[in-house]
Amino acid sequence: MSENNKSSLIVIDTNIFEHLLYEPKNIVLGNWQAKTEEKHINRLLKFLQKQDYRLCLDQGKRIKNEYKHRLNSRISQSDDERDEIQILRYWLLFNDHHYVDTEINLPLDKALKTIILNDDNQPETTDCIFVHTAALSLCDLVTNDSDYTLSDDQKKRGDSKRNRSDKNKRKRRQKHSKLKSDAPNLPSRIERIKEEIRINLDHEATDILTSLQAHEIYLYRS
């Protein structure tokens, strides 16, 4: 797990905060009789808060703007005092955010960008920004968005985000099928991303974790 520089910084994908309020993704862990029952994302973020972890954001404020766009309406109602809302308010409004010193220039990291987006010619997206911010900060990225980081087999998140021609979609499917048939033992997509971080950004410190993985690692292996 983390050493030195990673000890106080973390990159948290927007979907983690959204899943605070989404029960299927924020499952209850613990023992009811021992009164240790709690939703796992709540517990994880409380732990990180207690340990003085800081949200790491990009200099261009792309992550901060996505937080604002997707989460502002959830925390703006002053009469909503749910535990999850209080946690959101802390991490988004009161947490002392850290901004990476290096400006992210995605065209210079083509190999990493290609793996994340599965497309050479698309403009930068917040998906790339999250991965790059974590890598440049030598800290972990916590995400539940398996479509773009954790699975090679699921439908790519980009397909639903961008209007591409049927021809391009067919080409991508054919290319993906050929890759799978030619190299059935390819590493998982998450491992390929981490390998590109090692090669292109020259370090091995960054890990990409689901909220459940992060919950287990940070709470029980710290």
Side-chain angles (χ1 to χ4, degrees):
M1 201 47 210
S2 90
E3 307 288 344
N4 300 326
N5 290 355
K6 291 179 69 183
S7 61
S8 63
L9 297 177
I10 193 148
V11 175
I12 302 179
D13 201 340
T14 317
N15 58 69
I16 296 295
F17 293 118
E18 290 179 318
H19 292 164
L20 272 170
L21 305 173
Y22 181 55
E23 289 188 7
K25 291 287 187 177
N26 193 11
I27 62 175
V28 173
L29 299 176
N31 186 286
W32 180 81
Q33 290 183 331
K35 298 183 179 179
T36 59
E37 237 185 18
E38 190 173 10
K39 295 176 182 178
H40 80 276
I41 297 177
N42 297 48
R43 188 187 296 175
L44 171 64
L45 295 180
K46 284 180 182 178
F47 175 85
L48 295 176
Q49 175 187 343
K50 185 177 179 181
Q51 297 295 317
D52 293 326
Y53 278 83
R54 300 164 63 197
L55 274 179
C56 193
L57 309 177
D58 62 292
Q59 282 282 1
K61 299 186 177 180
R62 181 72 174 265
I63 294 174
K64 187 173 184 178
N65 288 336
E66 176 168 290
Y67 285 164
K68 183 177 180 180
H69 174 68
R70 287 169 57 180
L71 301 169
N72 240 22
S73 62
R74 298 170 186 246
I75 61 177
S76 60
Q77 298 179 8
S78 59
D79 59 343
D80 192 337
E81 297 299 324
R82 282 178 293 169
D83 185 35
E84 292 86 346
I85 296 296
Q86 296 300 326
I87 293 171
L88 270 176
R89 286 177 181 146
Y90 169 79
W91 281 99
L92 303 182
L93 301 179
F94 306 119
N95 180 261
D96 181 19
H97 302 148
H98 171 81
Y99 291 88
V100 292
D101 295 330
T102 307
E103 189 68 41
I104 294 171
N105 189 348
L106 292 176
L108 298 180
D109 299 310
K110 184 176 179 181
L112 181 56
K113 178 184 174 186
T114 300
I115 288 177
I116 298 167
L117 291 179
N118 202 37
D119 193 322
D120 282 337
N121 301 314
Q122 291 301 315
E124 64 188 60
T125 73
T126 311
D127 299 344
C128 288
I129 300 293
F130 276 111
V131 174
H132 280 66
T133 299
L136 292 172
S137 307
L138 303 181
C139 65
D140 291 341
L141 165 63
V142 183
T143 177
N144 283 334
D145 202 337
S146 59
D147 286 349
Y148 85 89
T149 55
L150 305 178
S151 173
D152 244 356
D153 298 322
Q154 296 184 30
K155 183 180 184 295
K156 298 297 180 288
R157 170 171 162 162
D159 290 346
S160 62
K161 278 189 165 185
R162 296 180 290 271
N163 294 321
R164 297 186 176 119
S165 69
D166 289 340
K167 182 179 179 181
N168 286 338
K169 288 182 181 178
R170 283 197 300 273
K171 283 184 178 179
R172 273 199 321 281
R173 283 197 295 268
Q174 290 167 359
K175 180 181 178 182
H176 185 59
S177 297
K178 187 176 188 305
L179 280 173
K180 289 183 72 175
S181 61
D182 289 350
N185 296 318
L186 273 177
S188 68
R189 197 170 185 212
I190 187 171
E191 292 302 324
R192 286 159 55 207
I193 291 173
K194 287 157 64 174
E195 179 63 20
E196 292 301 333
I197 290 173
R198 287 191 284 270
I199 293 172
N200 290 284
L201 299 175
D202 195 28
H203 70 78
E204 302 184 15
T206 295
D207 203 355
I208 302 173
L209 306 164
T210 67
S211 56
L212 278 170
Q213 288 171 329
H215 179 277
E216 180 180 349
I217 289 171
Y218 281 91
L219 269 68
Y220 301 117
R221 299 184 191 171
S222 302

